[in-house]
Amino acid sequence: RSGEMAKLTQLIDNEVFRAYATYTTIVLLKMMLMSLITAYFRITRKTFVNPEDTTIFGKGESAKKYLRTDPDVERVRRGHLNDLENIVPFLGIGLLYALSGPELPTALLHFRIFAGARIVHTFAYLIPLPQPSRGLSWAVGYAVTISMAYKVLKTALYL
């Protein structure tokens, strides 16, 4: 048991793992913020998808008018969905990458570029910025995840 604790302590002392934990926390908090932004838009636009959410505005037929879609709410939701589609793979591949023994500067470059790309992507979705800003920020983040996956496969090729 004490050997297992020593390994965990070594992992926490690993600079690359700490960098991974830092940037993972940043992108997860950003993704969580998208939930709050969605809620804000739903409330301010009085746009809901569940009947029970409309009860604060009345009951019966008077509340049904709030069961609708709104372009602003849908735009935020699409941005949030895009986060889920890109941040979740980063979490798994990034962890494997961090454990594969990369150099700290290279790992930091990967993690920082990914986090920056996701933040730019969010602004491109919410403002919205003109294309190709959203597409490029998506592609940069995606390329970073592919780069880390390639390094993991190259380092520990057990196919």
Side-chain angles (χ1 to χ4, degrees):
R1 241 22 231 146
S2 63
E4 290 176 25
M5 289 303 281
K7 290 177 186 175
L8 181 59
T9 304
Q10 289 171 345
L11 184 60
I12 292 169
D13 287 339
N14 180 305
E15 288 181 308
V16 172
F17 181 78
R18 286 198 325 250
Y20 165 77
T22 299
Y23 287 96
T24 293
T25 301
I26 290 168
V27 295
L28 285 173
L29 285 171
K30 189 213 78 59
M31 188 169 69
M32 291 170 62
L33 180 62
M34 293 300 286
S35 294
L36 296 175
I37 294 170
T38 302
Y40 169 79
F41 273 81
R42 281 200 182 286
I43 292 166
T44 60
R45 305 305 192 272
K46 296 179 181 165
T47 301
F48 304 96
V49 292
N50 300 308
E52 64 272 15
D53 297 337
T54 65
T55 57
I56 60 172
F57 300 108
K59 296 199 187 294
E61 291 300 315
S62 66
K64 282 187 180 179
K65 67 182 178 184
Y66 300 109
L67 290 173
R68 56 193 171 93
T69 60
D70 178 85
D72 294 331
V73 173
E74 293 306 308
R75 186 170 191 84
V76 175
R77 287 184 67 243
R78 286 191 306 274
H80 192 192
L81 179 61
N82 194 278
D83 274 351
L84 289 168
E85 293 169 350
N86 289 274
I87 292 174
V88 171
F90 169 81
L91 298 177
I93 291 171
L95 176 61
L96 295 173
Y97 173 74
L99 298 175
S100 73
E103 295 293 323
L104 179 61
T106 306
L108 281 170
L109 187 65
H110 278 90
F111 301 152
R112 287 174 177 164
I113 290 173
F114 181 84
R118 292 313 305 169
I119 291 167
V120 169
H121 186 270
T122 296
F123 282 118
Y125 238 119
L126 295 179
I127 291 176
L129 297 176
Q131 279 289 40
S133 57
R134 192 178 78 239
L136 285 175
S137 60
W138 170 83
V140 167
Y142 202 80
V144 167
T145 303
I146 295 294
S147 173
M148 291 187 302
Y150 174 77
K151 169 70 164 77
V152 168
L153 289 174
K154 186 177 168 195
T155 302
L157 196 61
Y158 287 106
L159 300 176

